[in-house]
Amino acid sequence: PKTDIVFLKVHKSASSTVMNILFRFGETHNLTFAFPIGGGYQLSYPRHFLARFVQGFSPSSPQQFNILCHHMRFLQPEVHKVVSSSAFYFSILRNPVKLMESSFAYYKGASAFSRVRSLEEFLSQPYHYYNPTEGDRHYARNLMTFDFGFNPDGEVSAKRVQLMLKAIEASFDLLLISEYFDESMVLLKEMLCWDLDSVVSFPLNIRDSSTKSPLSDAVVEKIKDWNRLDWEIYTHFNRTFWERIDRDIGRERMQQEVKALRDRQGEMARTCLQGMGSVAPKHIKDSSLKPLQHGSARILGYNLKQGLDKETERICRRLVTPELQYSSALYKKQFPQKSP
């Protein structure tokens, strides 16, 4: 199994669920994580990543870490300083239409969104609200482009798009698609030589449907236009994703693998969870399992079954522990003398 991994955690793209998978694998195999200094949750985001943002890194005696997965704005030469040269690089993308709808609910406090009542209102005259010089502008435009290290306000020329796609392809071994999450996990498992249980997960950091609103066709087109760079990235890598499945696995075997993964997830849900699924924040009984609530979104969580034996409880708890709590626990383990 591959143990040196860089995951570019793109915002609002099921990346918290992927992070839980990496946390569990790292903890099980005693791997080291490139934590933000002081045990924070972002590597000085939204600045471009620098090696010195990592706890325990020093230029004089550069230490390499197994897993780099906290939020960062990608800058490969700096990433190279903290991980092995043979590290496996991957990220996950999401349809920019859904991404923007989610971003609007989650980052309602961002400068571009704070004065509008709806996404429609923002898109009717975006430059009335959006200021390219604001430090938090990226939440409102081409968020994936920004996380990959590029300029979200760059012009959309064929040449520029090609250069951007080539740069991403040169840096990353695999780009997953969050709309095909289970297929993505099968592909990831294959490429990392991991077993099935390592990629089993429950969806984390998801919001309840009360804040989700259907978008008209006109709004969908406006979102694509406004996030044209993201749209180009997404459509390109959605295509290569399926090309890779056809080449390396085949559709038939992929179906079998996805079924096996879903069956195993169903089994774990029956073993671990009260009521089989996620619940609203106010119904989460164990406060240590409550996810951070943000913006106007209501982030769901889980209740574990009572009376599980010790080992089962440990496995189940890790599956449902929200990102911030899990990150803190692993940080304390790796740096016992420091408290986050």
Side-chain angles (χ1 to χ4, degrees):
K2 291 193 168 74
T3 53
D4 291 316
I5 294 161
V6 174
F7 172 54
L8 177 63
K9 187 173 187 287
V10 169
H11 287 76
K12 314 306 328 140
S13 304
S15 54
S16 295
T17 309
V18 177
M19 205 168 178
N20 178 273
I21 287 168
L22 294 173
F23 280 167
R24 289 184 348 246
F25 186 86
E27 185 178 20
T28 306
H29 295 84
N30 263 328
L31 305 177
T32 56
F33 290 88
F35 283 108
I37 282 185
Y41 307 114
Q42 303 193 334
L43 290 151
S44 290
Y45 188 87
R47 293 162 64 190
H48 273 105
F49 175 80
L50 295 174
R52 62 181 171 84
F53 298 158
V54 173
Q55 179 81 54
F57 174 82
S58 94
S60 52
S61 55
Q63 183 196 347
Q64 291 187 330
F65 299 88
N66 297 117
I67 299 178
L68 174 61
C69 63
H70 286 71
H71 272 308
M72 63 169 158
R73 189 174 182 204
F74 191 65
L75 187 60
Q76 191 159 22
E78 288 290 317
V79 171
H80 274 326
K81 296 177 184 176
V82 297
V83 294
S84 145
S85 57
S86 61
F88 180 87
Y89 285 68
F90 79 104
S91 187
I92 187 164
L93 304 171
R94 185 182 186 186
N95 183 319
V97 176
K98 295 182 187 162
L99 181 85
M100 185 160 200
E101 191 271 330
S102 173
S103 195
F104 183 79
Y106 205 79
Y107 302 114
K108 189 69 184 74
S111 56
F113 294 151
S114 58
R115 294 180 294 133
V116 291
R117 282 186 302 277
S118 67
L119 192 49
E120 286 83 342
E121 189 181 338
F122 172 79
L123 291 161
S124 65
Q125 40 178 358
Y127 281 111
H128 186 67
Y129 308 106
Y130 177 85
N131 179 350
T133 62
E134 287 284 358
D136 61 359
R137 77 191 192 287
H138 51 283
Y139 293 123
R141 186 178 203 189
N142 288 317
L143 182 49
M144 294 191 288
T145 302
F146 183 87
D147 285 353
F148 276 95
F150 304 104
N151 176 8
D153 296 301
E155 55 150 354
V156 189
S157 65
K159 186 179 176 203
R160 189 193 186 97
V161 167
Q162 276 315 109
L163 284 169
M164 190 169 70
L165 296 175
K166 282 208 166 20
I168 294 172
E169 275 176 341
S171 300
F172 287 85
D173 300 291
L174 178 63
L175 284 140
L176 305 174
I177 302 291
S178 65
E179 282 78 19
Y180 303 103
F181 191 79
D182 293 342
E183 289 85 351
S184 291
M185 291 306 102
V186 170
L187 208 45
L188 185 68
K189 164 180 89 72
E190 294 286 304
M191 294 199 68
L192 293 175
C193 306
W194 288 8
D195 62 8
L196 182 69
D197 273 6
S198 297
V199 295
V200 162
S201 65
F202 298 144
L204 295 177
N205 205 27
I206 51 167
R207 59 192 173 117
D208 72 354
S209 49
S210 70
T211 57
K212 294 179 185 174
S213 47
L215 303 170
S216 70
D217 292 351
V219 166
V220 167
E221 288 311 312
K222 280 180 179 171
I223 292 177
K224 286 184 197 171
D225 260 359
W226 177 246
N227 297 283
R228 182 54 61 185
L229 292 170
D230 271 11
W231 186 251
E232 295 287 349
I233 291 175
Y234 178 76
T235 49
H236 175 81
F237 288 108
N238 187 18
R239 195 179 68 247
T240 58
F241 176 80
W242 290 101
E243 285 168 2
R244 172 167 270 176
I245 287 173
D246 289 336
R247 188 186 72 221
D248 296 351
I249 296 181
R251 300 279 168 122
E252 198 177 326
R253 190 176 140 230
M254 176 53 88
Q255 274 183 326
Q256 294 161 359
E257 292 273 353
V258 165
K259 184 182 182 307
L261 177 62
R262 287 177 182 162
D263 288 350
R264 184 71 181 122
Q265 273 163 189
E267 205 179 304
M268 292 304 289
R270 285 189 292 279
T271 302
C272 297
L273 303 180
Q274 271 181 34
M276 285 290 290
S278 50
V279 296
K282 63 172 188 281
H283 297 310
I284 300 169
K285 300 187 180 91
D286 180 343
S287 60
S288 72
L289 295 178
K290 252 192 195 153
L292 174 76
Q293 302 298 313
H294 205 89
S296 65
R298 276 201 313 201
I299 308 299
L300 306 175
Y302 296 92
N303 285 316
L304 291 180
K305 274 190 177 159
Q306 300 295 301
L308 298 170
D309 67 79
K310 216 168 177 172
E311 180 55 16
T312 308
E313 207 265 350
R314 194 180 65 84
I315 291 168
C316 292
R317 179 170 287 274
R318 282 157 63 170
L319 273 163
V320 301
T321 299
E323 175 188 328
L324 304 191
Q325 288 94 310
Y326 207 154
S327 185
S328 291
L330 292 173
Y331 178 82
K332 282 179 191 156
K333 205 169 162 182
Q334 194 167 309
F335 300 103
Q337 70 287 8
K338 297 181 161 58
S339 65

